[in-house]
């Protein structure tokens, strides 16, 4: 492995852990963070949480787990190509969605509405809450006691009011600093992964078609390339060959643009990275093409009536569960009832609901509301 860039995050440059621990013997500090994330309960639950499609709709669709692994793959490749810390990029990518509610964005919106008068609910902050508090497995600390830079990467955005409550982690939102380049990479790797796999899942589900995708320049161009090279290809292979070209085009564009920005800004240290506008990014052309793809997915897939029906049911499940726990906190399992004593019943109910998988939430709903279920 070639040497890391002078502006990469390294063990030696890390701001460290909240609770001091002896250095790992066989791994780097950031490998240890990644491994702690992989062994967490919240990580395993990602298998049964979805973004667009509800888990029981079919076994072929992405779940939050496979999404996180795809993000980690893309982030690691980019980090390595830029001589940045790919262990850190991988750790952030694997943890970035830990705080997601069941039922994807619909679940998050519903829980945020429920929490309106109790400080709101934001999956990004919830991911942080999980790694700092809710995972209770280690003897010496709550959470996973991750390194500062891993936690910084998990916290993508944050209001100034909230930032003031977060101590050292909130600083950069108040000062207008950028996170590490490894964290910046994860943000864009997340976009590259979900835009492309949502196209794939959207096509597989039949909710969008290849004909519709001809309106999206990024796809039209690469689909045309595939059709010219392989005129007789069956649709499954045609779709995959197109998507892999789009991912490659986006990663290549991002690498070229980022290298250009590095040359222009000439960062010499991590401090320079914090003080410079985002160094990781798409070119203007790719930025626009990527936005067009996002717009297409929003209109044609996320707002498809079949998806809307599913998400409206999901919202109802979440808000009914929340209302039940608020009215009768003793319905909460003991560890969440204990949390209610310190964090308030609304936050405890939100922690419990956010931790549920899609199918667990459905089961819990039946247990609480259906006559004859236990
Ligand atoms: Mg994500």
């Amino acid at each position: 492995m070639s040497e890391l860039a002078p502006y990469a995050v390294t063990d030696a440059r890390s701001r460290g852990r909240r609770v001091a621990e002896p250095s790992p013997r066989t791994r780097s500090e950031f490998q240890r963070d990644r491994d702690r994330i992989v062994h967490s309960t919240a990580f395993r639950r990602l298998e049964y949480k979805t973004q667009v499609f509800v888990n029981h709709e079919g076994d072929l669709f992405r779940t939050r787990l496979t999404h996180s692994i795809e993000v980690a793959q893309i982030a690691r490749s980019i980090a390595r190509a830029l001589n940045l810390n790919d262990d850190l990029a991988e750790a952030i990518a694997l943890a970035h969605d830990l705080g997601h509610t069941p039922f994807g964005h619909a679940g998050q919106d519903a829980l945020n509405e429920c929490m309106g008068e109790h400080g709101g609910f934001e999956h990004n902050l919830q991911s942080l809450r999980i790694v700092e508090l809710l995972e209770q497995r280690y003897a010496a600390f709550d959470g996973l006691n991750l390194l500062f830079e891993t936690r910084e990467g998990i916290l993508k955005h944050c209001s100034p009011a909230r930032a003031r409550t977060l101590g050292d982690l909130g600083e950069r939102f108040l000062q207008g600093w950028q996170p590490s380049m490894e964290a910046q990479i994860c943000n864009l790797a997340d976009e590259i992964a979900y835009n492309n796999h949502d196209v794939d899942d959207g096509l597989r589900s039949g909710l969008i078609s290849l004909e519709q995708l001809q309106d999206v320049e990024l796809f039209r161009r690469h689909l045309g390339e595939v059709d010219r090279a392989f005129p007789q290809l069956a649709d499954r292979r045609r779709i995959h060959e197109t998507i892999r070209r789009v991912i490659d085009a986006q990663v290549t564009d991002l690498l070229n643009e980022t290298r250009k920005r590095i040359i222009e800004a000439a960062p010499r240290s991590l401090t320079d990275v914090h003080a410079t506008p985002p160094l990781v990014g798409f070119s203007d052309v790719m930025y626009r093409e990527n936005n067009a793809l996002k717009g297409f997915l929003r209109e044609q897939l996320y707002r498809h009536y079949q998806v809307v029906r599913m998400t409206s049911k999901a919202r109802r499940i979440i808000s009914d569960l929340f209302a039940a726990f608020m009215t009768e906190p003793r319905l909460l399992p003991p560890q969440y009832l204990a949390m209610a004593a310190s964090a308030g019943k609304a936050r405890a109910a939100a922690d419990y609901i956010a931790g549920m998988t899609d199918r667990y939430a459905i089961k819990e709903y039946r247990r609480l509301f259906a006559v004859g279920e236990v």
Side-chain angles (χ1 to χ4, degrees):
M1 197 173 117
S2 55
E3 213 178 302
L4 292 184
Y7 40 81
V9 176
T10 62
D11 285 8
R13 290 177 203 138
S14 171
R15 288 169 70 173
R17 303 179 190 277
R18 284 220 170 118
V19 179
E21 294 185 62
S23 299
R25 285 187 303 272
T26 54
R27 303 169 283 181
S28 72
E29 294 280 4
F30 287 98
Q31 284 176 312
R32 172 148 78 181
D33 274 14
R34 176 204 55 208
D35 298 347
R36 284 186 178 176
I37 291 157
V38 169
H39 287 279
S40 69
T41 308
F43 185 73
R44 282 195 298 285
R45 288 187 184 150
L46 294 176
E47 183 175 3
Y48 299 105
K49 291 189 179 194
T50 41
Q51 315 212 103
V52 180
F53 298 89
V54 172
N55 193 256
H56 63 262
E57 297 254 315
D59 293 339
L60 297 173
F61 301 124
R62 264 68 171 191
T63 67
R64 292 249 175 232
L65 181 65
T66 55
H67 162 69
S68 300
I69 293 170
E70 288 181 36
V71 176
Q73 179 274 313
I74 293 170
R76 227 175 30 224
S77 302
I78 296 170
R80 198 170 293 188
L82 295 170
N83 294 326
L84 294 163
N85 186 337
D86 60 323
D87 292 325
L88 170 58
E90 185 179 17
I92 296 170
L94 292 177
H96 87 284
D97 270 355
L98 288 180
H100 262 291
T101 60
F103 313 128
H105 297 293
Q108 133 99 23
D109 293 348
L111 198 51
N112 189 31
E113 252 167 54
C114 296
M115 289 294 286
E117 287 168 16
H118 314 279
F121 179 89
E122 219 276 303
H123 67 84
N124 194 216
L125 281 164
Q126 190 69 8
S127 299
L128 194 66
R129 191 168 159 79
I130 286 169
V131 302
E132 291 189 339
L133 176 70
L134 296 179
E135 284 285 328
Q136 303 197 336
R137 337 164 34 89
Y138 295 88
F141 43 78
D142 284 340
L144 306 178
N145 197 32
L146 301 178
L147 292 156
F148 175 87
E149 293 74 13
T150 310
R151 293 183 295 123
E152 173 197 66
I154 292 171
L155 191 64
K156 276 193 275 196
H157 36 75
C158 178
S159 69
R162 180 79 63 171
R164 278 188 274 277
T165 69
L166 293 174
D168 54 359
L169 264 195
E171 246 170 70
R172 76 176 168 90
F173 298 98
L174 301 172
Q175 311 286 343
W177 296 335
Q178 298 304 318
S180 68
M181 287 183 73
E182 288 84 348
Q184 296 179 32
I185 287 171
C186 286
N187 276 343
L188 285 163
D190 188 21
E191 285 212 13
I192 295 173
Y194 69 67
N195 286 328
N196 283 286
H197 66 51
D198 285 355
V199 166
D200 193 31
D201 285 349
L203 288 168
R204 187 179 288 115
S205 66
L207 299 185
I208 57 174
S209 67
L210 277 173
E211 289 66 51
Q212 284 176 304
L213 270 164
Q214 299 280 359
D215 296 342
V216 182
E217 170 57 24
L218 193 55
F219 264 83
R220 202 183 53 75
R221 194 165 67 235
H222 292 100
L223 184 59
E225 211 177 85
V226 171
D227 287 345
R228 278 191 299 279
F230 308 100
Q232 302 299 327
L233 215 52
D235 267 355
R236 266 306 341 132
R237 289 182 201 256
R238 230 175 131 216
I239 293 166
H240 179 251
E241 284 293 338
T242 305
I243 288 176
R244 67 187 279 249
R245 279 168 174 75
V246 174
I247 294 176
D248 183 65
Q250 294 201 298
V251 169
T252 305
D253 178 273
L254 185 148
L255 285 174
N256 290 338
E257 174 67 20
T258 303
R259 287 190 178 116
K260 203 175 99 197
R261 293 186 195 177
I262 290 172
I263 291 169
E264 278 163 15
R268 294 211 305 239
S269 66
L270 200 45
T271 313
D272 289 348
V273 170
H274 294 314
T276 310
L279 285 161
V280 181
F282 290 131
S283 67
D284 289 344
V285 173
M286 184 56 82
Y287 180 81
R288 277 197 300 275
E289 289 189 345
N290 187 57
N291 270 349
L293 171 58
K294 281 161 74 165
F296 170 87
L297 285 169
R298 197 166 45 239
E299 285 306 316
Q300 306 301 330
L301 183 60
Y302 310 144
R303 291 183 189 164
H304 191 287
Y305 85 98
Q306 278 177 267
V307 173
V308 172
R309 279 183 184 203
M310 205 165 60
T311 53
S312 115
K313 203 194 302 184
R315 293 173 81 93
R316 218 165 309 131
I317 293 176
I318 300 265
S319 52
D320 287 355
L321 284 176
F322 185 82
F325 296 132
M326 286 301 276
T327 315
E328 185 54 76
R330 292 210 154 263
L331 291 172
L332 289 167
Q335 69 269 37
Y336 292 98
L337 192 58
M339 177 64 75
S342 56
K345 61 180 179 178
R347 187 57 60 191
D351 284 341
Y352 180 42
I353 292 170
M356 293 178 186
T357 60
D358 295 11
R359 59 185 189 177
Y360 184 91
I362 292 168
K363 209 166 151 195
E364 183 76 339
Y365 185 85
R366 280 207 203 102
R367 275 198 294 249
L368 288 180
F369 298 107
V371 177
E373 293 273 341
V374 283

